[in-house]
């Protein structure tokens, strides 16, 4: 990896170790992004400068989602489900053994299988005894993270082969389990799970053309205001591809967290979500630059006319130009039109596109025109930065920039940096 002999590295958290080094890391793709902490993701970006980061998640954590909504990160959403899929019917109920029995028997009657999920390993034994009591003939197998190496994988594989009716598990089945025959999931103590975990667990069923069911059972005496809001969201947001909406609801419930710190939720509730977003967008504009207003024109006043794009030898007539030589674009009216477009370019990117079109039509740019374009690029940048005059103090050699939009807050920011 360090020598660059391989092009793509696929790994787990081992890639975060201090001993890892990369020759030229250009793209970092993080799958199941909600399972990573901020420190882990930032560590990967510190390994190599200028890394492009692509994060994949069905339910982004509030901090990541809020970055995309506020414009810090770009986002795209895939909402088209695979063909023949049906939305999973979701029920939120207080824990009831008879409802559990009915759900399991209905699934077994159509020759299907079930998941039964609990939040803690310590609750597996009690849940297993309850299932054997209400359905004596039920074939149950367990899977959790503290089993011996390979045991959990073997148990899930045996379940997938149809040797058991119910897979009793913790959240280890949250990702990477795809068994089309399983179309009922029962989640006990659902109030103890986070919203992204609930959504991921519900996604374990409904992976065929059969109707799937998800049961979220909770204990009324253990439910909190936030957990009630999470469960209500799971009952409301049942459409296929609703992960983005679920993440939005999670953002509203928990808050957006700290963009510069390690907290992945919180804070927004203190000022209200809408006000928080407005404050954040304003701060982003200020950090991306000083947020100075664009000026309509700029002047560069340097010795020997360096950087100037004004005519200094003669008054230019209606069909005359200064930047573009007559030998490059012979037609006078077209030459004036093209120079006007170049002078009015709103960004250097627009100016590059214009000059590329000249190359395509009239061939390579002459040296004289290339020099003039350097000055034109300078003026374009100055206008975007809000600077209308650039001069030189010949006694001290200092460059002077004038910006009519400067305010005390801008000076405070400049001085603080």
């Amino acid at each position: 990896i360090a020598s660059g002999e391989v092009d793509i590295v696929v790994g787990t958290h081992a890639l975060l170790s201090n001993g890892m080094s990369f020759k030229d890391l250009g793209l970092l793709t993080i799958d199941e992004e909600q399972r990573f902490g901020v420190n882990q993701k930032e560590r990967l970006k510190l390994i190599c400068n200028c890394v492009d980061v692509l994060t994949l998640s069905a339910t982004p954590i509030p901090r990541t989602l809020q970055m995309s909504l506020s414009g810090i990160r770009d986002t795209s959403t895939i909402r088209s489900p695979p063909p023949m899929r049906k939305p999973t019917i979701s029920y939120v109920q207080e824990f009831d053994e008879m409802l559990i029995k009915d759900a399991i028997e209905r699934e077994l009657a159509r020759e299907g299988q079930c998941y039964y999920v609990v939040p803690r390993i310590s609750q597996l034994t009690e849940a297993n005894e309850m299932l054997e009591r209400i359905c004596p003939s039920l074939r149950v197998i367990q899977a959790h993270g503290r089993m011996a190496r390979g045991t959990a994988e073997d148990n899930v594989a045996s379940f997938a082969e149809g040797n058991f009716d119910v897979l009793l598990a913790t959240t280890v089945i949250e990702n990477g389990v795809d068994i089309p025959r399983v179309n009922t999931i029962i989640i006990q103590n659902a109030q103890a799970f986070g919203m992204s975990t609930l959504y991921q667990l519900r996604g374990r069923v409904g992976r065929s053309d059969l109707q799937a069911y998800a049961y979220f059972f909770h204990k009324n005496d253990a439910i909190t205001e936030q957990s009630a809001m999470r469960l209500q969201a799971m009952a409301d947001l049942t459409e296929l591809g609703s992960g983005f909406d679920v993440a939005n609801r999670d953002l509203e419930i928990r808050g957006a967290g700290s963009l510069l710190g390690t907290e992945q939720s919180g804070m927004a509730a203190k000022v209200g979500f809408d006000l928080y977003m407005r404050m954040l967008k304003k701060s982003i504009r200020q950090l991306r630059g000083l947020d100075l207003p664009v000026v309509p024109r700029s002047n560069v006043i340097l010795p020997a006319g360096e950087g100037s794009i004004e005519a200094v030898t003669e008054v230019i007539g209606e069909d005359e130009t200064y930047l573009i030589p007559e030998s490059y674009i012979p037609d006078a009216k077209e030459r004036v039109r093209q120079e006007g477009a170049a002078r009015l370019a709103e960004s250097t990117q627009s100016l590059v596109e214009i000059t590329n079109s000249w190359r395509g039509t009239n061939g390579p740019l002459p040296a004289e025109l290339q020099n003039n374009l350097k000055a034109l690029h300078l003026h374009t940048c100055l206008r975007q930065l809000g600077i209308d005059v650039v001069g030189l103090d010949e006694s001290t050699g200092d460059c002077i920039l004038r910006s009519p939009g400067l305010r005390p807050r801008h000076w405070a920011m400049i001085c603080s940096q």
Side-chain angles (χ1 to χ4, degrees), residues 2 79 185 215 221 228 258 301 314 340 358 399:
R79 289 185 175 270
I185 185 168
Y215 297 85
D221 57 352
S258 171
I301 307 172
E314 58 180 287
W358 294 350
C399 183

Side-chain angles (χ1 to χ4, degrees), residues 84-384:
M84 306 300 293
R85 294 285 178 90
K86 299 178 181 178
T88 300
I89 298 176
S90 302
Y91 298 98
V92 178
Q93 301 277 348
E94 187 177 4
F95 184 81
D96 187 328
E97 292 186 358
M98 293 309 298
L99 284 176
I100 294 173
K101 178 181 180 181
D102 291 342
I104 293 175
E105 289 179 346
R106 182 165 54 249
E107 184 60 42
L108 296 181
R110 58 176 184 174
E111 299 182 352
Q113 295 170 287
C114 304
Y115 295 123
Y116 193 100
V117 182
V118 296
R120 301 184 184 278
I121 294 176
S122 58
Q123 298 172 357
L124 286 170
T125 301
E126 180 183 352
N128 197 91
E129 293 173 352
M130 183 269 296
L131 291 173
E132 291 178 347
R133 185 176 68 255
I134 63 175
C135 299
S137 60
L138 202 62
R139 298 174 298 168
V140 181
I141 192 170
Q142 296 186 14
H144 58 80
R146 292 185 184 174
M147 288 182 164
R149 181 187 295 271
T151 303
E153 291 86 344
D154 293 341
N155 288 358
V156 172
S158 180
F159 174 74
E161 292 170 359
N163 299 326
F164 296 89
D165 301 319
V166 174
L167 177 62
L168 177 58
T170 57
T171 55
V172 294
I173 66 166
E174 177 183 350
N175 304 111
V177 178
D178 184 4
I179 307 175
R181 288 185 56 187
V182 184
N183 286 292
T184 294
I185 185 168
I186 300 169
I187 302 173
Q188 181 179 317
N189 293 335
Q191 77 282 349
F193 293 91
M195 189 176 293
S196 64
T197 301
L198 292 174
Y199 183 79
Q200 292 281 355
L201 288 172
R202 185 172 66 183
R204 295 311 95 200
V205 298
R207 307 179 80 85
S208 67
D209 58 349
L210 296 177
Q211 180 63 62
Y213 300 89
Y215 297 85
F216 302 96
F217 290 107
H218 60 83
K219 293 182 178 178
N220 279 344
D221 57 352
I223 201 166
T224 63
E225 181 181 358
Q226 278 203 2
S227 60
M229 295 171 70
R230 289 197 298 268
L231 293 173
Q232 184 61 47
M234 298 309 299
D236 295 340
L237 304 173
T238 59
E239 292 300 317
L240 293 171
S242 60
F244 193 80
D245 300 322
V246 170
N248 262 320
R249 189 75 66 88
D250 195 22
L251 175 61
E252 294 174 5
I253 293 172
R254 292 200 289 160
S258 171
L259 298 183
L260 302 179
T262 58
E263 295 81 7
Q264 304 205 77
S265 62
M267 292 179 62
K270 296 179 181 178
V271 296
F273 182 68
D274 290 337
L275 176 59
Y276 180 82
M277 292 298 293
R278 290 200 300 271
M279 292 168 61
L280 177 67
K281 288 182 179 180
K282 182 178 179 181
S283 298
I284 291 169
R285 288 197 303 270
Q286 292 174 346
L287 290 173
R288 281 180 169 169
L290 291 175
D291 200 20
L292 294 172
V294 175
V295 294
R297 61 177 288 126
S298 57
N299 291 305
V300 177
I301 307 172
L302 296 175
E306 289 182 316
S308 175
I309 57 173
E310 303 299 328
V312 294
T313 57
E314 58 180 287
V315 178
I316 294 178
E318 184 178 339
D319 292 337
E320 297 179 53
T321 57
Y322 171 65
L323 291 178
I324 306 176
E326 183 178 350
S327 58
Y328 188 62
I329 301 180
D331 184 83
K333 293 187 180 296
E334 178 64 16
R335 192 167 63 250
V336 171
R337 191 179 71 82
Q338 291 295 338
E339 179 168 317
R343 287 176 178 270
L344 295 174
E346 295 183 352
S347 65
T348 56
Q349 179 62 37
S350 300
L351 188 54
V352 168
E353 293 174 358
I354 292 172
T355 54
N356 284 339
S357 69
W358 294 350
R359 288 190 181 93
T361 304
N362 303 289
L365 303 178
E368 178 186 355
L369 179 55
Q370 291 182 22
N371 290 332
N372 290 337
L373 285 174
K374 292 178 182 178
L376 203 57
H377 275 282
L378 171 63
H379 283 260
T380 303
C381 291
L382 291 175
R383 293 198 303 272
Q384 290 297 309

